[in-house]
Amino acid sequence: MAEDATQATPDLEAAREALAKAQADLAAAEQAAAQASASTSAETAADAAAVPASETPAATSTATTPETNGPLDPDAVTAIRDGYGFDAPALELGALVNGAPLADVPVRIPIAMTNRHGLVAGATGTGKTKTLQVMLEQLSAAGVPVFAADIKGDLSGVATAGVGSEKLLARTKSIGQDWQPVAAPVEYFSLGGRGEGVPIRATVSSFGPLLLAKVLGLNETQESCLGLVFHYADANGLALVDLEDLRAVLQYLTSDAGKPELDGIGGVSKQTAGVILRELTNFAAAGADVFFGEPEIDTTEFMRTAADGRGIVSLLEIPGVAQQPQVFSTFLMWLLADLFGSLPEVGDLDKPKLVFFFDEAHLLFKDASKDFVAQIVQTVRLIRSKGVGIFFVTQTPKDVPEDVLAQLGSRVQHQLRAHTPNDAKALRATVRTYPNSGYDLEQVLTQLATGEAIVTVMNEKGAPSPVAWTRMRAPQGSMDPTPMAQIQAAVQASPLLAKYGTPVDPESAAEILAKKINNAAAAARAEETAAAEAEAQAKAAENEAARIEREIRERDTSRSTRSRTSVRREKSIIEEIASSRTGKTVIREVVRTVFGSLLKRR
C-alpha cells in the first residue's frame, strides 16, 4: 500500500501540471479568438460603412461577438438598427456601441425633426462641444442656417478645415464615418461689439421688462414695477433705446417734477423705483450699456444661406462677456423671442429655417421668475411652427424646467459624474427622464467614454427612438479654434459690418425728458421773471398812487390856506374902513338913517 501511495504522488503532480498547462493554453486561445473576433468585426463595420443604411441587407443584422458581449442582446440591437433606419435625410450622430462600435447600426436624427427641439447635456470635458460642431456642420451642409453661442471660442474651428491623423481616421473608420476635412461658411457676431464680430444690439424697449428684470436680478415686485415704467414710457412716446433712456425716465419719475406722474402710474413707489434705478446704474457701470442701442440687429440675418446653398453658421463670440453669463443667456432668449415675434407661421417643413443652439442653458433658468419661465415655455412650444428648432446645451436635464424639457424631442446625454450626493441625485433624476431601455442607465451614464453619449430622438412619425449608447462622429472642421487673424479678416469682410458696426444715437427718452425738464425750468424762470416784473409794476403803481395822493393832499392844503388868508384880508379892510374917520361918519349916517326911518314909522 505504501508503494502504491508513493507511486501515486508523482502521477498526481504530473496531472496537476498538465491541468495548469491546459488552462493556460485555453486562456491563450480564448484571448486570440477574442482579438480575431474584434478584428473581424472592425473589418465588417468598415465594409458596411460604404453601404447606405437603407441598402444594408437583412443578413447584416446577424449578431456578432461584440453584440453578445455588450449589454444588449441581438434582438435589442436589431430594434435599435430598425429604430434609426430613417429614409428621409438625417444628421449622422455616430454608431451604436455594444461592447464595441457597430458601424452597421448608425444613430441619426431626421433633419425634419430638428425643429422639434432637443437637449445636448453632459459634464465638462465629455464632448458636448464636439457634438455641437458635428451637428451644425451637417445642418449647414443640408442648407439649414445655424446660430450658436461660442462661449470658449472652440466652435470657431468649424470655419477651418480639420486635419486628419492616424488616430482620428482609425476612430472614424470604426464607426463607419468617411471623414473628410471641410470648412463651413461662418459669420461672427459679438454682443455690443465686445469681442470679435459684427455687433449685436437691442433697444431697451424691444428687450422688454421681463428680460431686463432677469439680468438686473429684480424680484417679482420690482419686475412688476419695471413693467409699469415701460408702460408709462410707451404711453408718453418716450422711446427707450439704451440704458440711459430708462435711467432718465426713472430719474424723472423720482424727481419733484415727476412725482405727480409717478403717483399716477399706480403701484410704483418712489422707493422701488429708486432700487431699480440703483441696479440699472450698477449694471451700466459694469459695461452692459454697450449691449443696448441702435442699430438693432435684424434677427432674420441669422437665416441666410451661402452662394453654394449651404446654411451660414452664425457664431456669437462671447469670451468678452464670460463674466456676465446671465447677460448673454438672456440676450439669447431675446433673440429667440424676436424671431418668434417676427416670423410667419409655416407649419412642418422638410427642414428647419433655422436651428438655434442655446449653450449654458442653466443660466437662463437660474433664479428666473414664474412669468419669465412661462414666456420661455410659450416660445419653445410655439416657435417650431415658425420653422425654428432649439437645442439647449447644459450639464444635466435637471437644469431645464420640466415644462421646457417636455418640449424637447431629441436627447444627447454625454457622461455624468456622481462624485457627490448632489451629483448622485442629479444622475437618478436624469435616468428617470429616459424611456425604458436595455441599459442600466444609472451605471452606463457614469461609464461613457469621452465622445460617447446616450441618444434618443424623435423619429419621422414623431415617436421616440430606442435609447442607444452611441460613439459620436468626429467634426470635419478643426477641433482647435480658428486663428484670431482669420476671424478678424472674416469680420472685416462681412457685408453686415457696414450696417451694424457703428452705433447711432437717435432722439429718445433721455433727450425728450431733458428737453421737457429744460422747458419746464425755462417756464419756471419765465414765471419767476413775470412775477417779479408784476411785483415791480405793482410797487411802482403803488408808489405812483401814493405820490398822486400826496400831491392832491398838498394841493388841498394849499387851497385851504389861501381861503383863510383871503378872509383875513377882507376883514382887515372892513376894520380899516370902520376905524377910519370917513368910515365912522358913514356908519353914523347910516345908523341915523335907519333909526330915523324906524322912528318915523312909529
Side-chain angles (χ1 to χ4, degrees):
M1 292 290 294
E3 289 182 2
D4 293 340
T6 303
Q7 186 175 0
T9 299
D11 294 340
L12 181 59
E13 298 256 344
R16 285 176 178 171
E17 290 177 3
L19 178 60
K21 184 175 183 303
Q23 288 175 337
D25 292 342
L26 178 60
E30 287 178 348
Q31 183 177 1
Q35 291 176 349
S37 177
S39 176
T40 302
S41 175
E43 291 175 1
T44 303
D47 293 340
V51 182
S54 59
E55 299 177 10
T56 303
T60 60
S61 66
T62 303
T64 65
T65 301
E67 291 180 10
T68 57
N69 287 344
L72 302 178
D73 60 31
D75 291 339
V77 172
T78 299
I80 291 175
R81 179 185 289 109
D82 294 342
Y84 289 90
F86 315 122
D87 294 328
L91 303 183
E92 302 290 341
L93 296 181
L96 177 69
V97 173
N98 193 39
L102 305 179
D104 64 327
V105 188
V107 177
R108 320 156 74 212
I109 302 178
I111 291 179
M113 291 294 109
T114 53
N115 79 330
R116 300 298 180 93
H117 315 317
L119 175 73
V120 179
T124 302
T126 58
K128 293 194 303 293
T129 301
K130 300 313 173 191
T131 295
L132 296 188
Q133 193 169 338
V134 167
M135 294 177 69
L136 62 85
E137 284 174 351
Q138 293 186 52
L139 285 165
S140 173
V144 178
V146 178
F147 181 95
D150 190 12
I151 295 177
K152 300 175 183 177
D154 297 341
L155 280 177
S156 65
V158 71
T160 304
V163 178
S165 67
E166 184 177 346
K167 182 179 179 181
L168 173 66
L169 295 177
R171 185 185 190 280
T172 56
K173 182 179 179 181
S174 71
I175 60 174
Q177 178 184 1
D178 181 17
W179 188 88
Q180 298 292 332
V182 176
V186 173
E187 185 81 66
Y188 299 96
F189 293 90
S190 64
L191 281 183
R194 287 177 59 179
E196 297 297 332
V198 176
I200 289 179
R201 302 182 188 87
T203 64
V204 172
S205 290
S206 65
F207 202 72
L210 273 180
L211 294 176
L212 190 58
K214 179 69 168 60
V215 298
L216 293 179
L218 304 182
N219 61 34
E220 292 192 10
T221 299
Q222 293 160 351
E223 177 184 296
S224 176
C225 292
L226 184 61
L228 292 174
V229 172
F230 269 70
H231 175 73
Y232 165 80
D234 291 340
N236 288 272
L238 301 174
L240 301 177
V241 174
D242 52 27
L243 293 183
E244 181 60 31
D245 291 321
L246 182 56
R247 188 162 50 235
V249 172
L250 287 167
Q251 288 173 335
Y252 174 73
L253 291 174
T254 54
S255 68
D256 293 338
K259 186 178 183 301
E261 297 186 63
L262 179 66
D263 295 339
I265 293 177
V268 180
S269 68
K270 185 173 182 177
Q271 291 76 13
T272 301
V275 171
I276 297 173
L277 179 59
R278 183 171 63 251
E279 294 298 332
L280 187 67
T281 301
N282 293 338
F283 183 58
D289 51 342
V290 299
F291 306 146
F292 298 92
E294 288 189 346
E296 182 177 270
I297 191 72
D298 180 355
T299 49
T300 59
E301 303 284 11
F302 307 138
M303 305 176 72
R304 297 175 299 138
T305 56
D308 59 4
R310 290 184 296 169
I312 292 178
V313 178
S314 297
L315 291 182
L316 179 60
E317 297 295 316
I318 50 181
V321 292
Q323 301 305 315
Q324 296 172 295
Q326 288 198 349
V327 173
F328 75 75
S329 65
T330 309
F331 241 94
L332 294 183
M333 190 62 223
W334 171 76
L335 294 176
L336 278 177
D338 191 74
L339 284 167
F340 174 73
S342 60
L343 294 177
E345 296 279 343
V346 294
D348 292 328
L349 303 173
D350 292 337
K351 61 183 181 182
K353 297 172 70 175
L354 174 70
V355 174
F356 197 103
F357 289 92
F358 205 125
D359 205 356
E360 300 292 345
H362 64 283
L363 297 172
L364 181 68
F365 303 107
K366 183 180 180 182
D367 300 326
S369 68
K370 292 180 180 178
D371 288 343
F372 184 75
V373 173
Q375 185 184 45
I376 296 173
V377 172
Q378 180 187 34
T379 301
V380 172
R381 180 182 294 121
L382 301 178
I383 201 170
R384 74 172 186 84
S385 64
K386 309 230 174 158
V388 177
I390 305 169
F391 278 76
F392 291 98
V393 185
T394 187
Q395 294 200 359
T396 74
K398 193 172 76 68
D399 294 333
V400 181
E402 290 185 1
D403 289 343
V404 176
L405 198 61
Q407 307 298 319
L408 310 182
S410 298
R411 302 267 296 279
V412 180
Q413 177 68 61
H414 288 269
Q415 183 196 111
L416 286 176
R417 301 181 181 120
H419 300 319
T420 68
N422 286 337
D423 290 343
K425 183 178 179 181
L427 174 62
R428 289 192 293 273
T430 299
V431 169
R432 288 195 296 271
T433 64
Y434 277 89
N436 293 331
S437 69
Y439 299 106
D440 179 359
L441 288 179
E442 194 165 340
Q443 181 180 18
V444 170
L445 284 172
T446 61
Q447 296 177 344
L448 294 172
T450 300
E452 293 183 348
I454 294 295
V455 177
T456 179
V457 305
M458 186 174 286
N459 66 22
E460 295 167 301
K461 298 179 181 179
S465 66
V467 176
W469 181 343
T470 306
R471 183 163 295 175
M472 306 299 290
R473 287 196 166 207
Q476 294 176 286
S478 174
M479 296 192 192
D480 296 321
T482 292
M484 185 55 64
Q486 184 176 331
I487 293 176
Q488 292 172 341
V491 173
Q492 292 302 315
S494 172
L496 300 180
L497 190 61
K499 186 175 181 181
Y500 299 107
T502 305
V504 297
D505 186 18
E507 184 180 62
S508 51
E511 290 78 14
I512 294 172
L513 286 175
K515 187 182 297 183
K516 182 176 181 178
I517 292 171
N518 290 337
N519 290 342
R525 286 194 299 271
E527 288 182 5
E528 290 177 359
T529 302
E533 290 177 354
E535 184 177 357
Q537 291 175 356
K539 186 69 174 176
E542 183 180 348
N543 293 338
E544 180 67 15
R547 185 187 65 78
I548 294 173
E549 183 180 358
R550 187 171 57 255
E551 288 182 356
I552 292 173
R553 190 165 52 249
E554 290 174 354
R555 190 165 53 245
D556 290 346
T557 302
S558 176
R559 287 176 180 174
S560 175
T561 302
R562 286 197 302 271
S563 175
R564 286 195 299 271
T565 302
S566 175
V567 170
R568 282 197 301 271
R569 287 177 180 174
E570 290 175 359
K571 183 177 180 180
S572 297
I573 293 172
I574 293 172
E575 288 176 349
E576 288 177 358
I577 293 174
S579 60
S580 66
R581 183 180 296 176
T582 304
K584 289 180 179 179
T585 303
V586 172
I587 291 171
R588 186 176 60 248
E589 290 298 324
V590 170
V591 170
R592 286 177 179 174
T593 302
V594 172
F595 277 98
S597 298
L598 291 173
L599 291 173
K600 286 181 178 180
R601 287 180 181 175
R602 289 178 181 174

